[in-house]
Amino acid sequence: MTPTPPVPPALAARPDAPAAPATPSQELAAELALVLAAQRGSADAFGHLVRRHSERAYAVARGIVLTHEDAEDVVQEAFLHAYKALDRFRPEQPFGAWLHRIVANAALDNTRRRKVRNTDELHDVHAAPFRDPAVSRDLRERLQVALATLPPRQRAVLVLHDVEGYKHAEIGGLLDIPEGTARSDLFHARAAMRRALSPLRETP
C-alpha cells in the first residue's frame, strides 16, 4: 500500500488560519446528515434544520399570506407537519424544496381559511416580497395592497418565482399544479401587478 505523502509545510493548516468555507456539496451532505439524524429521532438535529430554513420559510409564507401573524402561524404549522412527515422524506431530494412545498401549501390553506384580510397590517413588512428601501412608502403600500388582491395561488407562484427564484417546473411540483398552469398564473399575476401600479408610473 502506497503511503500517504506528507502535506507540504506551506499548505499545512495553521491554528490561527480561518476555516475554509464549505462547498455546496459539503453543505448538502451536512444537511442530509441532519435529516437522517432527525429521522432517527434526534430533536437536536431537527432543531438545526429549523434554524437553517426558518428565515426563508417565513419569507415564502409571508409572501403568500401577507400578514406577519399568519406567516408565523404557517411556519410553525409547516415545521410541525414536516417533523411528523420526516419518515416520508426521500434523501435523494433537496430538503429545502420538500420543506418549501409544505410551507406553500400550509400558506394556501391559511388563505382559504382566512377570507377577510386586514390590509392595515401590511405596513409591518419584515421579509415580504418587493421590499425596497429606496422606494417611497406609498409605493410599498401599493405593492402590498396589489399583492393582497391576487388570488392565493397566483400570489404563491409570483412569490416562489420572482422572490425565491424557483423555476416553473419546480413551482408546479411545489404546488401540485401543471408547469403550464404555473406559467399562466405568473403571467396573470404580473399583469395584475402592472395594472395596479401603472398610475404610479404615470405620475410625474
Side-chain angles (χ1 to χ4, degrees):
M1 179 176 179
T2 304
T4 303
V7 178
L11 300 180
R14 296 174 299 176
D16 59 342
T23 65
S25 59
Q26 289 172 329
E27 286 286 343
L28 288 174
E31 181 160 278
L32 179 58
L34 287 172
V35 174
L36 294 176
Q39 286 181 325
R40 293 192 296 268
S42 172
D44 184 60
F46 188 75
H48 279 291
L49 290 170
V50 170
R51 287 189 289 275
R52 276 174 172 247
H53 291 277
S54 59
E55 185 175 343
R56 194 173 180 191
Y58 176 88
V60 171
R62 180 61 184 274
I64 298 172
V65 301
L66 295 176
T67 68
H68 171 69
E69 292 78 8
D70 282 350
E72 285 194 328
D73 289 344
V74 164
V75 170
Q76 290 182 9
E77 178 183 341
F79 275 117
L80 178 61
H81 181 81
Y83 184 75
K84 292 178 177 178
L86 270 177
D87 60 331
R88 297 198 295 273
F89 173 77
R90 300 191 307 275
E92 66 270 16
Q93 63 181 323
F95 178 79
W98 180 77
L99 175 65
H100 293 155
R101 177 177 183 173
I102 294 174
V103 173
N105 282 292
L108 289 171
D109 287 342
N110 181 280
T111 61
R112 295 185 190 106
R113 294 193 300 264
R114 299 280 188 100
K115 295 182 179 180
V116 178
R117 293 283 149 189
N118 184 356
T119 57
D120 290 338
E121 296 180 7
L122 299 180
H123 300 278
D124 176 25
V125 185
H126 174 65
F130 308 107
R131 190 178 77 168
D132 183 351
V135 300
S136 67
R137 178 179 177 181
D138 183 50
L139 178 55
R140 290 198 302 270
E141 293 175 357
R142 291 288 190 95
L143 283 166
Q144 293 304 310
V145 172
L147 277 172
T149 65
L150 295 177
R153 196 181 69 197
Q154 286 187 17
R155 189 161 63 237
V157 170
L158 185 68
V159 170
L160 290 170
H161 187 277
D162 288 357
V163 180
E164 294 301 317
Y166 283 102
K167 298 178 181 178
H168 297 99
E170 294 173 323
I171 295 171
L174 288 170
L175 301 182
D176 288 324
I177 59 177
E179 179 181 349
T181 301
R183 290 179 181 277
S184 176
D185 281 349
L186 181 62
F187 173 82
H188 290 297
R190 284 175 170 173
M193 294 295 289
R194 283 195 295 268
R195 288 194 299 271
L197 298 176
S198 59
L200 288 178
R201 291 200 298 267
E202 294 169 359
T203 301

